[in-house]
Structure formats: C-alpha cells, structure tokens
Amino acid sequence: MRRALPGLAASLIDAARVAMATRQRELHAFAHPSPDDVLLADAGRGVTIALFGIRPGFRLPLEGYYAFLALKNGVPVAYGGGWELFGTLDFAINIFASFRQGESALLATALLRVYRRIFAMRTIVVDRYQLGHESAEALQSGSFYFYHRLGFRPRDPGILRVLEAERAKIAADPGYRSPIPVLKRLAGDEVFLTLPGGDPEPEKRLRATDVAARVSRLVAREFGGDRARATRECAARVGRALGARRRAAWPAAERRAFAQLALVAALIPDLAAWPAADRRALVALMRAKGGGSERAYARRLDGHRRFRRGLTAAVRA
C-alpha cells in the first residue's frame, strides 16, 4: 500500500466523484476527501483499490473511516467504505451493476485485506441495509448469500433458524432459490465475520450511536441543549483533567478535534485519576483525530484500552 502522489490523488478524487455523479449517487468521503490521505493498493488481476480519508472538520465524530473506489484495468467497478471503532469494522460495498457476478467475491476479499492492513480490525460487520433491509437492489442481487459465502454469519436465533431451513432446501434441490419474502427475513439483522482475537459477542459491542445518544443526553442535561457551550466547557474540563493546557499552540484542526472528542471523554468521570501515561495517550489520540491520517487515529483509538473500558462503562451505566 502506498500514498498517492498529489497529481494522482486529484485524478482519483475526480474519478470517484464522476462515478457517483453519473449514477446519481453521493458519498460523504468523496465530497470531502483529504488529498493528502489517498492510499493505493494493488490487489492483482488488474484491480486497484483507492482509499480516501476525509478532511479534518468533516470526519466522523468517533470512528476512523476510509471510503474506497475499486478499479479494474483503470475502470471504476465498485465503491463503498469501512468505518472502525475499537477493533470492529463496519463494511459496505456496492459493485456497479454491469460488473456484478464474475470476480465480485475476489474483489470483496481484496478490499477486506486492505482494510485489515489499515485498521487491523478483528471483527467485520455488514448492516441490514447491505443485506436487503429496505433495499430492493440488495434483495434482488441475493446480497445475503454473497456475504454468507464470504464467511459472514448472523447471530440472531430467529434468523439462524430461517437460514438452516433454507440451506436444507438448497441441499435437497440445487435449483432452489430463496424467495424475496425469505430474503427479507434473512436481512433482518447484521451479519458478522470474526477474525482471530475478535469479539465473541459482536452484537453486544459498543456502538458509536450509543455514545452519541449519551453525549446528547449530557448536552441536554448539563447545558440546556446548547451544544456550542457544551463543547467549549467540556474541552476546558477535559483539558484540565488530562493536563492539556497549551492547546492554543496546536494546529487548528487538532484543537477542533480535541474539542469535539472532549464531549465523548467528558462522559468518563475519573479522567483526572488515570495514570499519566494513559492521560497522555488520550491527548495524543484526540489530537490525531485532527491530524493528517485517519489511519494513525484509528490505531491509537484501538490501542487505548482504558479509554474503551471507561467509555463502555459510562455508556452502559
């Protein structure tokens, strides 16, 4: 994997935007890419994967995120993204209709290998929409079985029973195809691929949406819903607890990232009592969210076990 030189990065950003515009689609990362954080990976067989980090100021509040554009012999064939939080990657892929079948599985596995190099994730999740929940396109393409062949499995007991019954029908009649109503039931919950060291119960993982709900509750309860005031005061409070007192000298993007993540860190009541090394590591993590690469931020986030434990306890209290 290598970083794209400026001219190539600009060309890839243009290619991604054109690929979206001609199909009347849009992706946040393609609208606000960081030209300095465009990565390239050669997947073999003429496949190149371009990954796009997002500019500071437009990034997701907590997760690390890279979008991708996959090209076959220079022609865009798929797009999507992966966003990672504490070792779990949420993954989405859309292969353009004219390039489906054929090497779709090869492309998906190549993408997951690339994301593994970026995030070192241990669990991969595909959400319901990708499987066909409220997505006619995914239902018609048999998306559930596409991911099933790649090793993804549901954990919902009801869906597992439906899947077992369908697999028995397929074994008895190779020409059998699950009807749309059954595919809708199979798409009723997420599916997971657990890698070595992965969470044995990924459905119980800490989710960014859970953290966001707690932050909203904090802003409403302590600041009367005034988010700007909450951001200022939490940044000051967390800065004191962590010993980050010279933030005015930091780059603007790092100051902004620290302030935004301070709303999250403020959920943890005992920050000031943490060991000095953990407090320094959290400051570095928060600054990295506004740095040049989401990859560096995600690695710091995944490696800060005390922050993960504290945040999990605060959200589930």
Side-chain angles (χ1 to χ4, degrees):
M1 188 181 302
R2 65 189 188 279
R3 191 174 304 279
L5 294 174
L8 179 56
S11 296
L12 289 167
I13 290 170
D14 287 343
R17 288 171 170 170
V18 169
M20 294 291 97
T22 54
R23 294 168 174 86
Q24 297 183 324
R25 300 187 182 191
E26 186 178 11
L27 198 64
H28 179 72
F30 295 163
H32 304 286
S34 172
D36 297 327
D37 198 17
V38 177
L39 308 176
L40 279 176
D42 182 0
R45 300 172 69 101
V47 175
T48 301
I49 297 169
L51 296 117
F52 303 84
I54 301 175
R55 281 190 291 154
F58 294 91
R59 292 173 178 169
L60 300 182
L62 186 57
E63 305 106 307
Y65 179 92
Y66 278 90
F68 70 82
L69 181 72
L71 305 101
K72 174 77 170 180
N73 298 322
V75 178
V77 297
Y79 76 98
W83 46 106
E84 192 262 1
L85 179 63
F86 295 126
T88 296
L89 178 80
D90 282 83
F91 177 69
I93 180 173
N94 188 300
I95 299 174
F96 299 137
S98 53
F99 298 100
R100 289 175 189 162
Q101 308 301 326
E103 297 182 332
S104 296
L106 178 70
L107 176 58
T109 54
L111 283 161
L112 291 176
R113 285 196 297 271
V114 170
Y115 275 107
R116 173 82 165 171
R117 290 176 63 185
I118 293 174
F119 291 129
M121 71 282 188
R122 299 172 295 281
T123 304
I124 306 166
V125 183
V126 173
D127 70 15
R128 297 187 301 165
Y129 181 80
Q130 292 291 312
L131 303 175
H133 178 72
E134 298 183 347
S135 172
E137 183 181 18
L139 288 174
Q140 292 163 4
S141 66
S143 182
F144 177 89
Y145 286 113
F146 173 75
Y147 286 107
H148 190 270
R149 286 192 293 271
L150 294 177
F152 287 83
R153 297 292 183 266
R155 289 184 56 84
D156 179 274
I159 294 175
L160 285 169
R161 286 192 293 271
V162 174
L163 177 59
E164 183 179 1
E166 288 301 289
R167 293 187 67 184
K169 293 176 184 177
I170 293 169
D173 178 7
Y176 173 80
R177 296 293 182 269
S178 298
I180 292 296
V182 172
L183 291 174
K184 287 183 177 180
R185 294 173 66 188
L186 291 172
D189 202 3
E190 302 166 317
V191 293
F192 306 91
L193 178 62
T194 303
L195 305 176
D199 189 341
E201 295 183 310
E203 70 278 12
K204 297 179 181 179
R205 70 192 183 281
L206 179 67
R207 302 169 189 254
T209 51
D210 299 329
V211 177
R214 279 287 181 172
V215 168
S216 295
R217 195 177 306 174
L218 171 71
V219 172
R221 183 181 65 247
E222 296 191 19
F223 303 97
D226 187 339
R227 193 174 186 90
R229 177 176 154 234
T231 301
R232 289 193 305 271
E233 295 193 15
C234 284
R237 181 194 310 174
V238 170
R240 288 192 298 271
L242 298 179
R245 296 183 176 86
R246 298 181 178 178
R247 299 190 303 280
W250 297 356
E254 292 185 10
R255 294 198 306 271
R256 184 167 53 245
F258 183 93
Q260 292 298 324
L261 276 174
L263 290 167
V264 175
L267 298 173
I268 303 172
D270 64 341
L271 284 178
W274 281 11
D278 287 330
R279 284 183 281 132
R280 287 194 299 270
L282 183 55
V283 171
L285 180 163
M286 295 168 77
R287 294 183 68 174
K289 187 62 170 171
S293 169
E294 285 257 75
R295 184 181 190 181
Y297 162 76
R299 290 296 182 94
R300 287 183 180 275
L301 179 64
D302 191 32
H304 204 308
R305 296 184 179 181
R306 186 178 293 273
F307 182 49
R308 178 180 183 175
R309 290 196 303 269
L311 193 55
T312 300
V315 167
R316 295 177 178 170

